[in-house]
Structures are given as structure tokens and as C-alpha cells.
Amino acid sequence: MLSYNFKYELKLLLRSRWIQLLSIILLLLFGFSTYNGLQKVEKRKNDILAAKTEIQENDVLMLKLLDSVERGMQVNVPSWTIPSSPMAVGNYHPRVAAMEPQPMAFLATGQADLFTHYVKPTVGGDDAALNFTEMTSPVQLLFGSFDLAFVIIYLLPLLIIAFSYNVLSAEKESGSLRLLAAQPIRIQNWVLQKLALRFFWLSLLVIFSLLTVFFLLGLSPFGNSNTFISLLGLILAYMLFWFALAFLVNLWVGSSAKNAVSLLGLWVVFVLLVPSVLNQLGNTIYPMPSRNLMINELRNMKAEVTEKQDEILDNFLRDHPEYALNDSTQTRGFYHRLMASKKLVKENMEPILQSFEKQLQNQQNWVEKFKWVSPAILAQESLNQMAGTSKADYENYRKQVIVFAEEWREHLLPFLYNNQDFSSNDYANLPSFRYTELTSGSQKGIPMLFLISFLLTAVGLISSRTRNSKEVLNQG
Amino acid sequence: MINTNNLTKKYGEQTALDHLNLDVKEGEIYCLLGANGAGKTTTINLLLGFVEPTSGSAFINQLNVSEDKRATKRFLAYIPENLMLYPSLTALENLDYFAGVAGKRLSQDNLKGFLAEAGLQTEAFNKRIATFSKGMRQKVGIAIALAKDAKVLLLDEPTSGLDPKASNEFGLLLQKLRGKGVATLMATHDIFRAKEVATHIGIMKDGQLKQQFVANDISLSKLEKAYLNTMEYNEVGS
């Protein structure tokens, strides 16, 4: 039966123009979404480049100013911006800490439109942690960008539904099912074969369309062959899930209209409802402390330490005897007090930040625990991972920036407390930031999706053993 | 070849078929006559295994239909009132597909031979079914039965809606199959066609087989009278 189904299913699909229609739709969707994704990546690259260029131009000016100062010339700039002051360098000539897009970043916008991908940490700025984390909505599972991930997760299932909802019911409604059922076959197996063949042909079309779009847009899938193979694996696993669902609905439901409504209902549940319900439950079970309260706390703390800056500085210097001044002509000024107080603010804020971090982590763990309930979450997470735009990627970036901000501050503080000028010779030793990508973890979502799909198919087959062909024939 | 033993089907309180006993042997054509709702189609559905009997049993080639549906279907071919094939496939492709699904791998020459034997014109072989009349589709149905080498043919109102010429051609095809030893059970309203093609005729009413005749032993007018009497008797009786 399989060889005949294989032979004639393609003929039927070609003659009903399904193959041609799907090819055009897939090429358009993949083409447009990949182009959109590339545009976003291009903008991100340009933003980073512009920030770096600005820093380079500032550095040229800084070195010229330093040169003039070191040669004893008068410079026509405000005194607090003269780069011989380490705090002027630390505040007005920061480095760019950029998260460069990964080669497949165009696949999924992921968290990229929620978090920044470059910052310029300064010695006087607040702790970088405050500027990175989306405190109120940590689990962004609803995604609005028309990127490849959107097409795969949202639109591809709709195409599959349109392509598979009436495999059995159309035969029933046209009358050909009775003739088929009079042959020595199991109708359930026949439905499974038809759907498996449609899955096969659609998979080929998807692969062909993706390759065509990649080549047309100048992308080399073989440059990142592992990621590309993972991408194809993920798409096939996700498609298989929807075909498995279509198999169950074809067997269990009945008329074409009921099948279509059931499958669309399942699409709403798996793609829209489950992700947002999980998100909401995460927020309800692990509510985030009020961000306003945290900001108020920070302000109060700043006001408090401002009043006690002399005392704080004394305490700081007591803890850091290496900064003791031997030269009685030198004094401690504004920046000495400010930096000592900032350190204290940071230390005092740590428990509050930790409580946010903990709740955030709890929420993420919650979603992590139940993500398998929706294949859309699994697929989105995997695509974000491939694109380097997952929450783990941005968390990795945030941590690296916090470390770098500390390094930047710690590099310049000894200049400040030793009352030592910054010179052009010190320029080369300024720390710079280099983003280290997450080592790509295994794509757990793909085997999990395959497993769920096979389980669904098995449920269909096992349940069909207890149902006779007559029940399939007579339902409606 | 086709046997039923007190075959009964009830839908709730409604009895669709009531203790039917039939025996159709090789080379016989048994026509079931009756009005709508008499139980003719239920009988065919039970023989096809499309519905389960409430009691009694049905046998095809001595195999119990309820116990081994797939095995029994290897021996039978079925032509419903409106034979629906795949409209976008040609006659040859439809025949190849249905014979293939039934486990018969046949060469193109063989397939063409069966279509020709079923009376389809050669120029129609490669035309899509969408352009076919009902009579032409029935011929493809017969070709499927020939290709399957069916021992049993179940026909549900096959001549309804056919013009007299097509109906006559269909009758001739049935005679040809009879010559090959095929046992045929045909449900029909058409007394004239039944008398012409059948070897045996049964009249059904309210799920019961009221009368049976050997076709050669009864004239058309007597058959018609018996049919009408059965209908009237039951109407009066009901």
C-alpha cells in the first residue's frame, strides 16, 4: 500500500496544485522573514559599529589632549573632562561592551528587542545589573517580530493544519472512503501513511525553500553547518508534532469542519495559551518585588551615604591602607568620596538585587520545568539558542559586562586614590571588553519534540487498535 | 460464497435487519429488492464489515466477516450507488491505485486489459475521472473487481441514475462476471433489471426477507405483483 500511496499522493498533490502553492507560500514567508531578520542584525551591527567608532574618535581626541597636557600646554576644555584625571577617563572615555550578533542571529529576534546589546560602563555609573534585566517581564514568550522563528512557530503549523486537517474526512465526504474501506487495508494505517507522505513532501519543500532563500540572500548554510542541521532538525521535529496532532484529530474527530476547528483550537492552546498561562503563573507564584520600591530604596541609600561621605571615605581608606597618602600636600576630593560611597551603595543594594535575581531565576525555572507542555516554547527556545538571542545568552552577556564594569572601575581607582595622573602611556593598558559567546549547549528541544510527536502517533495507533474501521467510517 | 446466518442489526429500538438468512453461491446473482429502509444497504454494510451485527453472522468465502474483516475483503469487490474515485486521476491511475492498495501489482497492459474488459473505451483510459459519467465510473468499478480477481461482488443500487443503455451494458458486465464464477449480491429498486440479470431474487421489507424466487421460475409481471403485494401487505399490516 505504501508504494502506491507514495506514487499517487504526489500526483494528487501536484494536480490539486498543493505543491506549487506551498512552494510559493514557503518561499515568500521564508524570504521575507529571513530578510527582516537580516535587517535587524544589520541594524544591531551598525549600532555597535557606530558606538565603537564614536569611542575611537573620542580616544583620538583624548590622546591629543593628554599629549597637550603632558607637554604643559593650556587646553580649552572644562577641567573635569581633562583625561589626565582618571575619573575623566573612566566617565567620559568608556569602552564599548558589545554583544556582537552570532552568525545565525537573523533566525530569531528572541530577547534582542528587550535587552541592549551594547553598553558603555563608566566608573561613576550605577551597577550595570540595574540596566540589563527586564524585572517585570522576565519570560518573554510572546514574540512579535516577523522573523524566521515567527514563521516556523506560528505560521508553519497553520500551513500544516490546512494541508492535513481533512485527509480522512475529505475521502469520507467525497464518498471514496467507502471504496477504500472495502479494500483489505486498515483505514488508520492508510491515514497514517497519507499524513507521513504529506510530512515527507512538506519537509522537502521546507528544506528546498530555506536553502533557496539562504542562497538568494547570500547566506551560507554550510558555513554554520551544525547550526543549520540543528535548524532543519528542529523544524522537522516541530512539523512532525503538528502532523501527529493532525493524525489524532483525523482519527478521532470526524467532519472536515470539526477537524479544522479542533486543530485551530489546538494551535491556539499550544502556541498562544500555554506560553502565556505559564508566564502568568510564573508571575503569580513567584511575584517580583516592586521595582519602584527598589528604585526608592536606592535613592534613599544614595541620599543617606551622601550625608556621610567623609565618614564613608575614612572607613574605606581604613580598609585600604595601600591608598594611604604619604605626601601631605595632596588631599582627598569629590571623586574620592563619591567612589567610596558608590561602593557602599553597591554593597548595600546587593541583597535587594539578589531578591530580584532569585525571583527571576524562580520564574525561569518554573517555565523550564513546564516548557515541554508546549512545543512552541521548546521550538522558540531552541531557535533563540541557535540565534544567540536566548535569555541565557543575554544573561551571559550581562554577567560579562558586570565583570568588565568592575574591571574598568578597579583599573582606574588606584589612579584616583594614589592621586596619580592618567598619562598617554597608560592608554594601552586600558581594559577592553570581548564578548565570549555561550558554548552552544545541546539542543534538548529537538529530541523532546520528536519524542512528543512519536508518543502522539503511538497514542493514535494504539487507540485505533481498539477502534474498528467502522467507527472511523461512521463518525462525523 | 456469500452467507448470512440470522443476521440482525438493531439501532437502539429500531431493527434495521431482522434474522436474515442468505446463501449466494459461485456464479449466482442475487438481487435484493425493496423500498428505501428495507435493510438492503444494511445487509451490504454488514457484509463489508462497515457495521457490526447485533446478532447472527455474515460469511464471505466461508470467513466470518466480524472476525476477519481484512481477509474477507481480499475476496470481494464493492460498487456503491455513487462510485467515487479520485477525480484528478485518470481511469488507468485509479485502477492502478485501488488494485495496488488491495495488494495487486499489475502491469499497464493488464490494467488496460481490465478496463477494456469492463467495457471502457480505449480513449477514456487516460482521461481524468472528473470528466466521466456515472456509467463510465461504474465500468472502472467493475475493472477494479476484475483486477482484484474478486470472488464476491457487492453492489448497492448500481444502476440507479444510469440511462437504459448504460444500465443494459452494466447488466451484461454482471453476466460476464457471473460466467467467471463471481457471486454477486445486488441491492436494487429496479425490478426490471433484477429480473433480467439475477439468478435469484429476494424481496425485503422492514429488515426482513419476505419472499425469495429463482429468477427463471417467475415472470416479470408475477415478480412485480409479488413485490407490490409484499409492500401492500406490510403497509396494511403495519
Side-chain angles (χ1 to χ4, degrees):
Chain A
M1 177 169 68
L2 180 63
S3 59
Y4 282 87
N5 274 334
F6 186 84
K7 182 175 167 187
Y8 284 105
E9 185 64 8
L10 180 62
K11 276 191 182 179
L12 287 168
L13 290 174
L14 280 169
R15 287 180 190 172
S16 58
R17 305 203 188 284
W18 257 112
I19 297 282
Q20 297 88 324
L21 185 69
L22 280 173
S23 305
I24 292 167
I25 291 174
L26 287 173
L27 277 171
L28 286 176
L29 287 177
F30 287 159
F32 184 57
S33 59
T34 308
Y35 175 78
N36 262 354
L38 285 171
Q39 290 297 103
K40 284 200 168 199
V41 172
E42 200 55 33
K43 185 184 176 304
R44 183 170 154 185
K45 280 182 180 168
N46 288 339
D47 288 349
I48 293 171
L49 186 65
K52 285 185 171 172
T53 308
E54 189 192 347
I55 292 296
Q56 277 169 3
E57 286 168 1
N58 272 349
D59 281 3
V60 171
L61 285 176
M62 176 179 79
L63 288 170
K64 276 185 186 168
L65 274 173
L66 273 176
D67 184 52
S68 302
V69 170
E70 285 165 6
R71 282 195 280 145
M73 292 167 69
Q74 282 287 327
V75 290
N76 190 20
V77 291
S79 59
W80 65 86
T81 62
I82 295 174
S84 54
S85 155
M87 291 300 100
V89 175
N91 282 321
Y92 305 119
H93 300 282
R95 308 294 91 185
V96 174
M99 184 189 185
E100 299 282 354
Q102 290 186 23
M104 300 290 262
F106 61 89
L107 284 182
T109 304
Q111 313 280 303
D113 51 0
L114 294 174
F115 298 117
T116 182
H117 39 264
Y118 75 88
V119 284
K120 299 174 193 170
T122 60
V123 287
D126 279 328
D127 192 300
L130 295 175
N131 302 322
F132 276 83
T133 317
E134 178 56 63
M135 297 290 188
T136 53
S137 182
V139 189
Q140 293 295 334
L141 294 169
L142 294 176
F143 5 81
S145 307
F146 198 98
D147 51 18
L148 207 48
F150 175 78
V151 171
I152 292 165
I153 292 163
Y154 280 77
L155 304 184
L156 197 53
L158 292 176
L159 286 181
I160 293 170
I161 289 171
F163 193 44
S164 62
Y165 77 101
N166 65 346
V167 163
L168 180 60
S169 56
E171 301 281 341
K172 198 185 303 175
E173 284 151 10
S174 73
S176 50
L177 185 63
R178 286 179 71 82
L179 189 58
L180 268 172
Q183 310 309 323
I185 56 169
R186 278 180 67 82
I187 288 296
Q188 293 87 340
N189 291 348
W190 178 85
V191 175
L192 184 64
Q193 283 189 11
K194 290 276 274 192
L195 283 169
L197 288 168
R198 287 190 180 207
F199 168 72
F200 173 75
W201 290 118
L202 188 61
S203 300
L204 284 189
L205 284 181
V206 164
I207 294 169
F208 165 77
S209 306
L210 260 185
L211 283 172
T212 306
V213 164
F214 274 34
F215 283 125
L216 286 177
L217 292 175
L219 297 162
S220 168
F222 307 111
N224 300 287
S225 53
N226 281 346
T227 316
F228 187 72
I229 289 166
S230 295
L231 172 67
L232 291 184
L234 177 79
I235 297 174
L236 297 188
Y238 190 60
M239 282 171 54
L240 192 62
F241 168 80
W242 288 101
F243 271 102
L245 221 50
F247 174 58
L248 287 184
V249 168
N250 266 285
L251 286 187
W252 286 349
V253 181
S255 70
S256 295
K258 283 183 191 171
N259 286 0
V261 170
S262 306
L263 280 167
L264 287 175
L266 289 168
W267 179 85
V268 169
V269 168
F270 285 119
V271 177
L272 300 180
L273 274 182
V274 173
S276 54
V277 166
L278 272 184
N279 192 20
Q280 282 304 314
L281 280 175
N283 281 333
T284 309
I285 297 170
Y286 303 106
M288 296 299 285
S290 161
R291 190 185 172 101
N292 288 342
L293 282 179
M294 186 185 74
I295 303 276
N296 278 342
E297 189 82 13
L298 180 64
R299 282 180 186 153
N300 290 339
M301 211 173 280
K302 277 182 179 171
E304 207 175 296
V305 296
T306 306
E307 287 169 12
K308 300 181 194 168
Q309 277 188 347
D310 286 336
E311 189 187 330
I312 292 165
L313 179 61
D314 286 345
N315 288 339
F316 173 78
L317 291 173
R318 200 174 301 127
D319 293 341
H320 294 276
E322 70 272 21
Y323 295 141
L325 287 178
N326 297 322
D327 184 350
S328 59
T329 60
Q330 294 199 9
T331 55
R332 301 294 182 190
F334 164 77
Y335 271 122
H336 297 92
R337 286 191 290 276
L338 179 71
M339 296 314 293
S341 63
K342 272 195 175 296
K343 193 172 167 64
L344 185 69
V345 170
K346 191 189 164 205
E347 281 167 9
N348 289 350
M349 282 298 290
E350 201 60 32
I352 299 172
L353 277 177
Q354 283 296 325
S355 69
F356 271 86
E357 294 276 331
K358 193 179 166 200
Q359 285 301 73
L360 190 69
Q361 195 56 51
N362 283 338
Q363 289 189 356
Q364 284 166 357
N365 289 344
W366 162 264
V367 174
E368 187 70 20
K369 204 188 297 178
F370 291 103
K371 65 183 181 187
W372 56 270
V373 176
S374 164
I377 299 178
L378 287 174
Q380 180 72 55
E381 198 183 64
S382 297
L383 285 166
N384 288 352
Q385 227 174 305
M386 289 174 204
T389 55
S390 68
K391 58 180 183 288
D393 286 293
Y394 278 90
E395 185 61 15
N396 169 47
Y397 169 60
R398 185 180 77 92
K399 284 181 176 161
Q400 287 183 36
V401 171
I402 290 171
V403 169
F404 175 69
E406 195 61 29
E407 187 186 351
W408 182 248
R409 192 178 291 130
E410 291 302 320
H411 183 78
L412 292 165
L413 278 185
F415 285 92
L416 174 72
Y417 287 111
N418 292 326
N419 280 354
Q420 181 190 337
D421 277 352
F422 185 82
S423 72
S424 49
N425 290 336
D426 296 318
Y427 175 76
N429 297 327
L430 280 175
S432 61
F433 179 84
R434 178 167 294 170
Y435 174 61
T436 312
E437 291 168 8
L438 274 181
T439 47
S440 53
S442 60
Q443 291 282 346
K444 287 180 192 159
I446 301 173
M448 202 180 272
L449 276 171
F450 272 117
L451 184 69
I452 294 171
S453 311
F454 287 128
L455 280 176
L456 283 179
T457 311
V459 166
L461 284 175
I462 291 166
S463 73
S464 72
R465 298 268 165 213
T466 60
R467 286 156 62 89
N468 297 316
S469 294
K470 68 179 176 60
E471 290 178 67
V472 178
L473 270 170
N474 299 325
Q475 72 194 1
Chain B
M1 197 57 75
I2 304 171
N3 300 91
T4 65
N5 184 14
N6 286 320
L7 192 62
T8 302
K9 179 67 189 175
K10 290 183 179 180
Y11 293 102
E13 294 299 306
Q14 178 85 23
T15 303
L17 194 65
D18 193 4
H19 294 86
L20 178 72
N21 290 295
L22 272 183
D23 183 18
V24 186
K25 296 186 173 64
E26 270 179 46
E28 288 184 354
I29 300 177
Y30 195 111
C31 279
L32 281 176
L33 286 171
N36 289 334
K40 307 185 298 290
T41 301
T42 303
T43 306
I44 287 180
N45 282 342
L46 284 160
L47 286 165
L48 284 165
F50 290 175
V51 288
E52 285 295 314
T54 309
S55 63
S57 31
F59 297 88
I60 299 284
N61 198 22
Q62 296 178 330
L63 290 170
N64 191 319
V65 175
S66 294
E67 287 169 7
D68 205 345
K69 286 189 186 64
R70 270 197 283 175
T72 57
K73 284 174 187 170
R74 285 199 187 95
F75 303 106
L76 64 81
Y78 165 61
I79 299 180
E81 181 179 354
N82 239 326
L83 180 65
M84 297 310 292
L85 300 155
Y86 291 108
S88 57
L89 296 182
T90 65
L92 207 54
E93 287 168 342
N94 266 291
L95 177 59
D96 185 31
Y97 179 69
F98 282 101
V101 162
K104 297 279 180 187
R105 287 178 180 273
L106 299 164
S107 68
Q108 289 288 300
D109 286 345
N110 279 337
L111 293 169
K112 284 177 184 170
F114 289 126
L115 284 174
E117 197 178 342
L120 197 70
Q121 291 175 319
T122 314
E123 55 268 30
F125 290 2
N126 288 308
K127 283 190 178 163
R128 293 191 186 182
I129 290 289
T131 62
F132 277 27
S133 66
K134 182 178 173 182
M136 290 165 86
R137 290 204 308 273
Q138 302 288 48
K139 286 175 182 170
V140 179
I142 293 289
I144 293 172
L146 290 168
K148 275 182 79 173
D149 195 18
K151 294 186 186 316
V152 168
L153 185 58
L154 301 174
L155 307 168
D156 193 1
E157 311 279 5
T159 55
S160 116
L162 288 185
D163 63 54
K165 183 172 173 285
S167 184
N168 184 54
E169 281 175 1
F170 191 78
L172 292 175
L173 278 174
L174 292 187
Q175 294 298 347
K176 198 187 271 184
L177 288 169
R178 185 189 160 204
K180 288 174 175 262
V182 174
T184 301
L185 178 69
M186 178 165 100
T188 182
H189 299 291
D190 188 344
I191 298 174
F192 174 77
R193 192 61 55 201
K195 171 71 183 89
E196 196 178 78
V197 301
T199 56
H200 297 76
I201 297 168
I203 300 175
M204 291 188 79
K205 176 71 180 171
D206 294 335
Q208 292 178 340
L209 185 62
K210 297 290 185 185
Q211 295 190 68
Q212 290 190 84
F213 306 98
V214 174
N216 285 337
D217 293 351
I218 188 166
S219 66
L220 178 62
S221 58
K222 282 184 179 169
L223 177 64
E224 191 174 11
K225 201 172 175 184
Y227 180 81
L228 291 173
N229 281 343
T230 307
M231 298 300 124
E232 272 177 32
Y233 168 78
N234 281 285
E235 273 167 27
V236 170
S238 59

